[in-house]
Amino acid sequence: MAPIKAPPNSNNLATPAVIEVTDGVAIPSRRDKGLFTAWRTAFIGAIAIVVYLAWTRPKPYLEILRFIPDGILVTFQVTIEAIVLALIIGLFTGLGRISKNRIINGIASLYVEVIRGIPLLVQLFYIYYALGRIVNLPAVISAVIAMAVCYGAYMGEIFRAGIESVSKGQMEAARSLGMTHAQAMVHVILPQAVKTILPPIGNEFVALLKDSSLVSILAVSDLLRRGREYASESFSYFETYTMVALIYLIITLFLSKIISIMEDRINVGR
């Protein structure tokens, strides 16, 4: 994960915030408006290759396309459930990180430092196998919890940076109007911070979708797992993993474009 950067606060001016989080495919830039941009070339090229392979060699490529759709649905299901849970964890972690209460701040900081220091794959094994001796959780639930806990730590830093990017004067103005600290946070600070944190959250969503391929080791029938099942039955390893890689690429590029459109709309509103 790349570091998250936020500009220093100003007491009087609301400085435009920049949060840099780069993991996964590059988010298309607004400046990339040419006919042959990197994103357009990669996206159309990947689709063209998939169609060409399925058309010219239906066996095994078309068979693979018919075999793995269930895995695509499971991949999206696990990713969406994990990102929603990670957002909730991240919000509370971010608030904890800026809290003046030493205990709350310490717990939030400890959580971020510990979780970010352990690879996601180890966390998956730990929750499913190690904690499985105490609480027997289904593989899908274990996968969702592990990814949510892992990405919740990164989301916490995104929320922290987004909140700190809002001018302190905004909080002081809200308090001078009679709002409590919680009311000012909900009605004034967070709405402004959301505009800053949405792009990196979208980036994390793409990264999480890629990392969801790790859940296949828990026998969750995601896209990669379905590919492995087909390859082990047909021994068409090259063809299967070529198709799986292309589908992952198409999905992540498509999501990156959606994030780019969201960024454009947010910037228009500024």
Side-chain angles (χ1 to χ4, degrees):
M1 297 286 179
I4 301 170
K5 299 178 180 178
N9 288 326
S10 168
N11 291 330
N12 300 316
L13 300 176
T15 306
V18 177
I19 297 179
E20 298 177 359
V21 177
T22 54
D23 194 352
V25 297
I27 304 301
S29 171
R30 286 179 295 166
R31 298 187 298 271
D32 297 337
K33 295 183 178 179
L35 182 61
F36 298 103
T37 63
W39 179 90
R40 188 171 291 123
T41 302
F43 185 69
I44 297 177
I47 293 177
I49 293 172
V50 169
V51 173
Y52 174 78
L53 291 175
W55 180 266
T56 58
R57 294 184 59 187
K59 188 175 182 179
Y61 289 108
L62 187 57
E63 288 185 354
I64 297 171
L65 283 180
R66 291 172 175 168
F67 189 80
I68 58 179
D70 291 345
I72 297 175
L73 293 177
V74 172
T75 293
F76 273 108
Q77 176 197 342
V78 171
T79 302
I80 291 172
E81 291 177 357
I83 198 73
V84 170
L85 194 54
L87 282 172
I88 297 172
I89 296 173
L91 173 60
F92 285 101
T93 302
L95 292 173
R97 290 274 283 160
I98 62 172
S99 173
K100 294 181 181 178
N101 185 305
R102 290 187 177 182
I103 296 177
I104 295 175
N105 189 296
I107 293 174
S109 300
L110 183 63
Y111 161 70
V112 171
E113 295 300 330
V114 170
I115 295 300
R116 292 202 308 179
I118 302 175
L120 174 57
L121 183 59
V122 177
Q123 295 180 42
L124 282 167
F125 278 133
Y126 191 85
I127 290 179
Y128 185 62
Y129 292 109
L131 294 185
R133 300 183 62 178
I134 303 173
V135 181
N136 189 16
L137 295 173
V140 173
I141 295 178
S142 298
V144 170
I145 293 174
M147 291 196 299
V149 170
C150 179
Y151 273 81
Y154 294 97
M155 291 290 184
E157 287 300 272
I158 292 175
F159 274 102
R160 179 194 60 75
I163 293 171
E164 289 183 340
S165 70
V166 179
S167 168
K168 292 180 179 178
Q170 296 292 308
M171 173 62 79
E172 294 169 357
R175 295 300 300 272
S176 67
L177 293 175
M179 292 185 181
T180 63
H181 187 276
Q183 289 174 330
M185 186 62 70
V186 172
H187 298 293
V188 178
I189 304 301
L190 285 179
Q192 296 183 64
V194 164
K195 293 182 179 180
T196 302
I197 65 178
L198 269 182
I201 284 178
N203 203 326
E204 291 297 285
F205 178 68
V206 175
L208 198 154
L209 187 142
K210 281 198 318 169
D211 284 348
S212 69
S213 62
L214 294 174
V215 306
S216 63
I217 62 172
L218 303 184
V220 176
S221 295
D222 70 328
L223 173 56
L224 180 57
R225 179 74 182 186
R226 292 290 286 170
R228 288 172 60 187
E229 291 173 356
Y230 183 89
S232 62
E233 293 175 1
S234 64
F235 299 101
S236 303
Y237 292 99
F238 176 81
E239 294 84 352
T240 301
Y241 289 119
T242 297
M243 196 61 75
V244 168
L246 287 169
I247 292 174
Y248 267 117
L249 179 61
I250 291 171
I251 292 173
T252 53
L253 287 171
F254 176 75
L255 291 176
S256 71
K257 187 62 177 179
I258 298 297
I259 295 167
S260 174
I261 294 173
M262 290 173 58
E263 288 186 22
D264 286 346
R265 294 189 175 182
I266 291 171
N267 287 326
V268 166
R270 286 182 172 178

mmCIF file of all heavy atoms in Angstrom, residues 114-149:
data_model
loop_
_atom_site.group_PDB
_atom_site.id
_atom_site.type_symbol
_atom_site.label_atom_id
_atom_site.label_comp_id
_atom_site.label_asym_id
_atom_site.label_seq_id
_atom_site.Cartn_x
_atom_site.Cartn_y
_atom_site.Cartn_z
ATOM 1 N N VAL A 114 -0.881 -2.915 14.016
ATOM 2 C CA VAL A 114 -0.800 -4.384 14.040
ATOM 3 C C VAL A 114 -1.322 -4.983 12.740
ATOM 4 O O VAL A 114 -0.665 -5.824 12.109
ATOM 5 C CB VAL A 114 -1.583 -4.935 15.247
ATOM 6 C CG1 VAL A 114 -1.708 -6.462 15.147
ATOM 7 C CG2 VAL A 114 -0.899 -4.553 16.545
ATOM 8 N N ILE A 115 -2.503 -4.554 12.330
ATOM 9 C CA ILE A 115 -3.127 -5.164 11.148
ATOM 10 C C ILE A 115 -2.338 -4.864 9.887
ATOM 11 O O ILE A 115 -2.179 -5.727 9.017
ATOM 12 C CB ILE A 115 -4.577 -4.661 11.004
ATOM 13 C CG1 ILE A 115 -5.412 -5.150 12.190
ATOM 14 C CG2 ILE A 115 -5.176 -5.144 9.690
ATOM 15 C CD1 ILE A 115 -5.476 -6.662 12.326
ATOM 16 N N ARG A 116 -1.820 -3.631 9.771
ATOM 17 C CA ARG A 116 -1.072 -3.297 8.564
ATOM 18 C C ARG A 116 0.282 -4.009 8.504
ATOM 19 O O ARG A 116 0.906 -4.063 7.446
ATOM 20 C CB ARG A 116 -0.858 -1.779 8.473
ATOM 21 C CG ARG A 116 -2.137 -1.024 8.230
ATOM 22 C CD ARG A 116 -1.890 0.336 7.620
ATOM 23 N NE ARG A 116 -0.911 1.137 8.348
ATOM 24 C CZ ARG A 116 -0.541 2.342 7.980
ATOM 25 N NH1 ARG A 116 -1.062 2.873 6.889
ATOM 26 N NH2 ARG A 116 0.338 3.018 8.688
ATOM 27 N N GLY A 117 0.707 -4.559 9.633
ATOM 28 C CA GLY A 117 1.986 -5.273 9.648
ATOM 29 C C GLY A 117 1.860 -6.759 9.383
ATOM 30 O O GLY A 117 2.875 -7.473 9.370
ATOM 31 N N ILE A 118 0.626 -7.235 9.201
ATOM 32 C CA ILE A 118 0.408 -8.674 8.954
ATOM 33 C C ILE A 118 -0.181 -8.851 7.566
ATOM 34 O O ILE A 118 -1.190 -8.219 7.235
ATOM 35 C CB ILE A 118 -0.553 -9.263 10.008
ATOM 36 C CG1 ILE A 118 0.008 -9.060 11.420
ATOM 37 C CG2 ILE A 118 -0.784 -10.746 9.746
ATOM 38 C CD1 ILE A 118 -0.940 -9.502 12.518
ATOM 39 N N PRO A 119 0.405 -9.688 6.740
ATOM 40 C CA PRO A 119 -0.140 -9.888 5.387
ATOM 41 C C PRO A 119 -1.570 -10.406 5.422
ATOM 42 O O PRO A 119 -1.968 -11.140 6.340
ATOM 43 C CB PRO A 119 0.812 -10.928 4.785
ATOM 44 C CG PRO A 119 2.067 -10.816 5.575
ATOM 45 C CD PRO A 119 1.640 -10.444 6.970
ATOM 46 N N LEU A 120 -2.336 -10.016 4.415
ATOM 47 C CA LEU A 120 -3.729 -10.441 4.337
ATOM 48 C C LEU A 120 -3.849 -11.962 4.295
ATOM 49 O O LEU A 120 -4.758 -12.537 4.900
ATOM 50 C CB LEU A 120 -4.390 -9.825 3.093
ATOM 51 C CG LEU A 120 -5.823 -10.279 2.785
ATOM 52 C CD1 LEU A 120 -6.756 -10.011 3.945
ATOM 53 C CD2 LEU A 120 -6.338 -9.591 1.524
ATOM 54 N N LEU A 121 -2.912 -12.610 3.614
ATOM 55 C CA LEU A 121 -2.977 -14.070 3.513
ATOM 56 C C LEU A 121 -2.856 -14.722 4.892
ATOM 57 O O LEU A 121 -3.574 -15.682 5.197
ATOM 58 C CB LEU A 121 -1.859 -14.574 2.595
ATOM 59 C CG LEU A 121 -1.835 -16.086 2.327
ATOM 60 C CD1 LEU A 121 -3.143 -16.531 1.690
ATOM 61 C CD2 LEU A 121 -0.648 -16.448 1.443
ATOM 62 N N VAL A 122 -1.987 -14.182 5.726
ATOM 63 C CA VAL A 122 -1.826 -14.721 7.089
ATOM 64 C C VAL A 122 -3.104 -14.486 7.897
ATOM 65 O O VAL A 122 -3.532 -15.350 8.670
ATOM 66 C CB VAL A 122 -0.620 -14.062 7.774
ATOM 67 C CG1 VAL A 122 -0.485 -14.545 9.222
ATOM 68 C CG2 VAL A 122 0.663 -14.360 7.011
ATOM 69 N N GLN A 123 -3.722 -13.317 7.724
ATOM 70 C CA GLN A 123 -4.965 -13.032 8.442
ATOM 71 C C GLN A 123 -6.077 -13.977 8.021
ATOM 72 O O GLN A 123 -6.901 -14.400 8.830
ATOM 73 C CB GLN A 123 -5.369 -11.578 8.199
ATOM 74 C CG GLN A 123 -4.377 -10.575 8.771
ATOM 75 C CD GLN A 123 -4.793 -9.134 8.513
ATOM 76 O OE1 GLN A 123 -5.959 -8.785 8.646
ATOM 77 N NE2 GLN A 123 -3.840 -8.304 8.138
ATOM 78 N N LEU A 124 -6.115 -14.310 6.734
ATOM 79 C CA LEU A 124 -7.114 -15.277 6.251
ATOM 80 C C LEU A 124 -6.920 -16.631 6.925
ATOM 81 O O LEU A 124 -7.878 -17.236 7.423
ATOM 82 C CB LEU A 124 -6.996 -15.426 4.734
ATOM 83 C CG LEU A 124 -7.603 -14.317 3.880
ATOM 84 C CD1 LEU A 124 -7.130 -14.442 2.436
ATOM 85 C CD2 LEU A 124 -9.121 -14.370 3.930
ATOM 86 N N PHE A 125 -5.676 -17.094 6.940
ATOM 87 C CA PHE A 125 -5.386 -18.376 7.579
ATOM 88 C C PHE A 125 -5.726 -18.326 9.061
ATOM 89 O O PHE A 125 -6.281 -19.277 9.616
ATOM 90 C CB PHE A 125 -3.905 -18.735 7.401
ATOM 91 C CG PHE A 125 -3.598 -19.366 6.077
ATOM 92 C CD1 PHE A 125 -2.522 -18.924 5.320
ATOM 93 C CD2 PHE A 125 -4.375 -20.385 5.571
ATOM 94 C CE1 PHE A 125 -2.238 -19.497 4.088
ATOM 95 C CE2 PHE A 125 -4.098 -20.971 4.350
ATOM 96 C CZ PHE A 125 -3.022 -20.522 3.601
ATOM 97 N N TYR A 126 -5.378 -17.209 9.716
ATOM 98 C CA TYR A 126 -5.569 -17.117 11.161
ATOM 99 C C TYR A 126 -7.051 -17.177 11.527
ATOM 100 O O TYR A 126 -7.451 -17.921 12.434
ATOM 101 C CB TYR A 126 -4.945 -15.824 11.688
ATOM 102 C CG TYR A 126 -4.873 -15.783 13.192
ATOM 103 C CD1 TYR A 126 -3.798 -16.359 13.863
ATOM 104 C CD2 TYR A 126 -5.875 -15.179 13.939
ATOM 105 C CE1 TYR A 126 -3.736 -16.344 15.246
ATOM 106 C CE2 TYR A 126 -5.815 -15.163 15.319
ATOM 107 C CZ TYR A 126 -4.747 -15.742 15.968
ATOM 108 O OH TYR A 126 -4.699 -15.743 17.338
ATOM 109 N N ILE A 127 -7.866 -16.390 10.825
ATOM 110 C CA ILE A 127 -9.291 -16.340 11.173
ATOM 111 C C ILE A 127 -9.985 -17.658 10.831
ATOM 112 O O ILE A 127 -10.843 -18.132 11.584
ATOM 113 C CB ILE A 127 -9.961 -15.157 10.450
ATOM 114 C CG1 ILE A 127 -9.473 -13.850 11.060
ATOM 115 C CG2 ILE A 127 -11.491 -15.248 10.532
ATOM 116 C CD1 ILE A 127 -10.041 -12.606 10.422
ATOM 117 N N TYR A 128 -9.614 -18.274 9.725
ATOM 118 C CA TYR A 128 -10.322 -19.489 9.314
ATOM 119 C C TYR A 128 -9.813 -20.735 10.043
ATOM 120 O O TYR A 128 -10.609 -21.542 10.525
ATOM 121 C CB TYR A 128 -10.173 -19.689 7.806
ATOM 122 C CG TYR A 128 -10.990 -20.853 7.287
ATOM 123 C CD1 TYR A 128 -12.380 -20.853 7.388
ATOM 124 C CD2 TYR A 128 -10.379 -21.955 6.694
ATOM 125 C CE1 TYR A 128 -13.135 -21.929 6.922
ATOM 126 C CE2 TYR A 128 -11.130 -23.027 6.220
ATOM 127 C CZ TYR A 128 -12.500 -23.004 6.330
ATOM 128 O OH TYR A 128 -13.239 -24.070 5.870
ATOM 129 N N TYR A 129 -8.491 -20.867 10.154
ATOM 130 C CA TYR A 129 -7.939 -22.089 10.738
ATOM 131 C C TYR A 129 -7.652 -21.942 12.237
ATOM 132 O O TYR A 129 -8.054 -22.804 13.031
ATOM 133 C CB TYR A 129 -6.650 -22.487 10.008
ATOM 134 C CG TYR A 129 -6.897 -22.925 8.587
ATOM 135 C CD1 TYR A 129 -6.510 -22.131 7.522
ATOM 136 C CD2 TYR A 129 -7.539 -24.133 8.309
ATOM 137 C CE1 TYR A 129 -6.745 -22.530 6.208
ATOM 138 C CE2 TYR A 129 -7.777 -24.536 7.003
ATOM 139 C CZ TYR A 129 -7.378 -23.730 5.959
ATOM 140 O OH TYR A 129 -7.623 -24.111 4.665
ATOM 141 N N ALA A 130 -6.954 -20.854 12.633
ATOM 142 C CA ALA A 130 -6.580 -20.719 14.043
ATOM 143 C C ALA A 130 -7.802 -20.435 14.910
ATOM 144 O O ALA A 130 -8.062 -21.151 15.888
ATOM 145 C CB ALA A 130 -5.545 -19.603 14.193
ATOM 146 N N LEU A 131 -8.571 -19.396 14.555
ATOM 147 C CA LEU A 131 -9.779 -19.105 15.332
ATOM 148 C C LEU A 131 -10.858 -20.150 15.093
ATOM 149 O O LEU A 131 -11.809 -20.246 15.872
ATOM 150 C CB LEU A 131 -10.307 -17.708 14.967
ATOM 151 C CG LEU A 131 -9.413 -16.525 15.364
ATOM 152 C CD1 LEU A 131 -10.116 -15.206 15.049
ATOM 153 C CD2 LEU A 131 -9.063 -16.580 16.849
ATOM 154 N N GLY A 132 -10.706 -20.923 14.014
ATOM 155 C CA GLY A 132 -11.668 -21.993 13.736
ATOM 156 C C GLY A 132 -11.719 -23.042 14.828
ATOM 157 O O GLY A 132 -12.702 -23.769 14.956
ATOM 158 N N ARG A 133 -10.669 -23.119 15.631
ATOM 159 C CA ARG A 133 -10.670 -24.063 16.753
ATOM 160 C C ARG A 133 -11.568 -23.577 17.881
ATOM 161 O O ARG A 133 -11.941 -24.348 18.767
ATOM 162 C CB ARG A 133 -9.243 -24.250 17.271
ATOM 163 C CG ARG A 133 -8.293 -24.798 16.211
ATOM 164 C CD ARG A 133 -6.920 -25.023 16.777
ATOM 165 N NE ARG A 133 -6.931 -26.013 17.848
ATOM 166 C CZ ARG A 133 -5.852 -26.418 18.491
ATOM 167 N NH1 ARG A 133 -4.668 -25.904 18.168
ATOM 168 N NH2 ARG A 133 -5.929 -27.311 19.456
ATOM 169 N N ILE A 134 -11.865 -22.269 17.864
ATOM 170 C CA ILE A 134 -12.728 -21.700 18.904
ATOM 171 C C ILE A 134 -14.127 -21.438 18.370
ATOM 172 O O ILE A 134 -15.133 -21.825 18.969
ATOM 173 C CB ILE A 134 -12.121 -20.376 19.436
ATOM 174 C CG1 ILE A 134 -10.701 -20.628 19.958
ATOM 175 C CG2 ILE A 134 -13.004 -19.782 20.530
ATOM 176 C CD1 ILE A 134 -9.964 -19.354 20.336
ATOM 177 N N VAL A 135 -14.180 -20.744 17.218
ATOM 178 C CA VAL A 135 -15.459 -20.428 16.574
ATOM 179 C C VAL A 135 -15.418 -20.973 15.156
ATOM 180 O O VAL A 135 -14.576 -20.554 14.347
ATOM 181 C CB VAL A 135 -15.707 -18.903 16.539
ATOM 182 C CG1 VAL A 135 -17.052 -18.614 15.884
ATOM 183 C CG2 VAL A 135 -15.654 -18.326 17.944
ATOM 184 N N ASN A 136 -16.288 -21.891 14.852
ATOM 185 C CA ASN A 136 -16.279 -22.519 13.539
ATOM 186 C C ASN A 136 -17.099 -21.678 12.564
ATOM 187 O O ASN A 136 -18.321 -21.744 12.534
ATOM 188 C CB ASN A 136 -16.848 -23.929 13.630
ATOM 189 C CG ASN A 136 -16.664 -24.685 12.331
ATOM 190 O OD1 ASN A 136 -15.868 -24.267 11.476
ATOM 191 N ND2 ASN A 136 -17.380 -25.773 12.172
ATOM 192 N N LEU A 137 -16.411 -20.858 11.774
ATOM 193 C CA LEU A 137 -17.081 -19.985 10.824
ATOM 194 C C LEU A 137 -16.998 -20.569 9.417
ATOM 195 O O LEU A 137 -15.980 -21.170 9.050
ATOM 196 C CB LEU A 137 -16.424 -18.603 10.823
ATOM 197 C CG LEU A 137 -16.525 -17.788 12.111
ATOM 198 C CD1 LEU A 137 -15.689 -16.520 11.998
ATOM 199 C CD2 LEU A 137 -17.978 -17.440 12.413
ATOM 200 N N PRO A 138 -18.048 -20.383 8.606
ATOM 201 C CA PRO A 138 -17.971 -20.799 7.204
ATOM 202 C C PRO A 138 -16.850 -20.057 6.488
ATOM 203 O O PRO A 138 -16.464 -18.950 6.881
ATOM 204 C CB PRO A 138 -19.350 -20.411 6.642
ATOM 205 C CG PRO A 138 -20.245 -20.335 7.833
ATOM 206 C CD PRO A 138 -19.376 -19.872 8.959
ATOM 207 N N ALA A 139 -16.357 -20.665 5.416
ATOM 208 C CA ALA A 139 -15.210 -20.082 4.713
ATOM 209 C C ALA A 139 -15.519 -18.695 4.166
ATOM 210 O O ALA A 139 -14.680 -17.793 4.245
ATOM 211 C CB ALA A 139 -14.796 -21.018 3.573
ATOM 212 N N VAL A 140 -16.717 -18.506 3.616
ATOM 213 C CA VAL A 140 -17.052 -17.203 3.031
ATOM 214 C C VAL A 140 -17.067 -16.120 4.109
ATOM 215 O O VAL A 140 -16.525 -15.020 3.919
ATOM 216 C CB VAL A 140 -18.411 -17.268 2.312
ATOM 217 C CG1 VAL A 140 -18.835 -15.883 1.852
ATOM 218 C CG2 VAL A 140 -18.342 -18.213 1.126
ATOM 219 N N ILE A 141 -17.684 -16.426 5.253
ATOM 220 C CA ILE A 141 -17.741 -15.432 6.338
ATOM 221 C C ILE A 141 -16.341 -15.129 6.865
ATOM 222 O O ILE A 141 -15.998 -13.972 7.133
ATOM 223 C CB ILE A 141 -18.667 -15.940 7.460
ATOM 224 C CG1 ILE A 141 -20.107 -16.046 6.941
ATOM 225 C CG2 ILE A 141 -18.603 -15.014 8.665
ATOM 226 C CD1 ILE A 141 -21.083 -16.586 7.946
ATOM 227 N N SER A 142 -15.528 -16.162 7.001
ATOM 228 C CA SER A 142 -14.151 -15.939 7.452
ATOM 229 C C SER A 142 -13.399 -15.043 6.482
ATOM 230 O O SER A 142 -12.641 -14.149 6.887
ATOM 231 C CB SER A 142 -13.424 -17.288 7.580
ATOM 232 O OG SER A 142 -14.035 -18.101 8.545
ATOM 233 N N ALA A 143 -13.606 -15.290 5.186
ATOM 234 C CA ALA A 143 -12.925 -14.475 4.167
ATOM 235 C C ALA A 143 -13.369 -13.022 4.236
ATOM 236 O O ALA A 143 -12.540 -12.106 4.163
ATOM 237 C CB ALA A 143 -13.208 -15.050 2.783
ATOM 238 N N VAL A 144 -14.683 -12.804 4.378
ATOM 239 C CA VAL A 144 -15.202 -11.435 4.456
ATOM 240 C C VAL A 144 -14.650 -10.723 5.696
ATOM 241 O O VAL A 144 -14.209 -9.567 5.620
ATOM 242 C CB VAL A 144 -16.742 -11.448 4.477
ATOM 243 C CG1 VAL A 144 -17.295 -10.057 4.807
ATOM 244 C CG2 VAL A 144 -17.293 -11.915 3.136
ATOM 245 N N ILE A 145 -14.663 -11.407 6.836
ATOM 246 C CA ILE A 145 -14.160 -10.799 8.069
ATOM 247 C C ILE A 145 -12.681 -10.459 7.947
ATOM 248 O O ILE A 145 -12.242 -9.357 8.315
ATOM 249 C CB ILE A 145 -14.402 -11.737 9.267
ATOM 250 C CG1 ILE A 145 -15.904 -11.870 9.550
ATOM 251 C CG2 ILE A 145 -13.675 -11.223 10.506
ATOM 252 C CD1 ILE A 145 -16.241 -12.879 10.618
ATOM 253 N N ALA A 146 -11.898 -11.395 7.422
ATOM 254 C CA ALA A 146 -10.454 -11.163 7.305
ATOM 255 C C ALA A 146 -10.154 -9.973 6.404
ATOM 256 O O ALA A 146 -9.325 -9.112 6.741
ATOM 257 C CB ALA A 146 -9.774 -12.420 6.771
ATOM 258 N N MET A 147 -10.808 -9.907 5.263
ATOM 259 C CA MET A 147 -10.549 -8.786 4.346
ATOM 260 C C MET A 147 -11.056 -7.470 4.920
ATOM 261 O O MET A 147 -10.429 -6.421 4.737
ATOM 262 C CB MET A 147 -11.192 -9.066 2.985
ATOM 263 C CG MET A 147 -10.509 -10.190 2.218
ATOM 264 S SD MET A 147 -10.963 -10.221 0.466
ATOM 265 C CE MET A 147 -12.725 -10.496 0.595
ATOM 266 N N ALA A 148 -12.198 -7.516 5.616
ATOM 267 C CA ALA A 148 -12.739 -6.290 6.213
ATOM 268 C C ALA A 148 -11.820 -5.773 7.313
ATOM 269 O O ALA A 148 -11.570 -4.558 7.411
ATOM 270 C CB ALA A 148 -14.136 -6.549 6.761
ATOM 271 N N VAL A 149 -11.329 -6.684 8.152
ATOM 272 C CA VAL A 149 -10.420 -6.272 9.228
ATOM 273 C C VAL A 149 -9.136 -5.691 8.648
ATOM 274 O O VAL A 149 -8.627 -4.666 9.109
ATOM 275 C CB VAL A 149 -10.110 -7.472 10.147
ATOM 276 C CG1 VAL A 149 -8.976 -7.132 11.112
ATOM 277 C CG2 VAL A 149 -11.353 -7.881 10.924
#
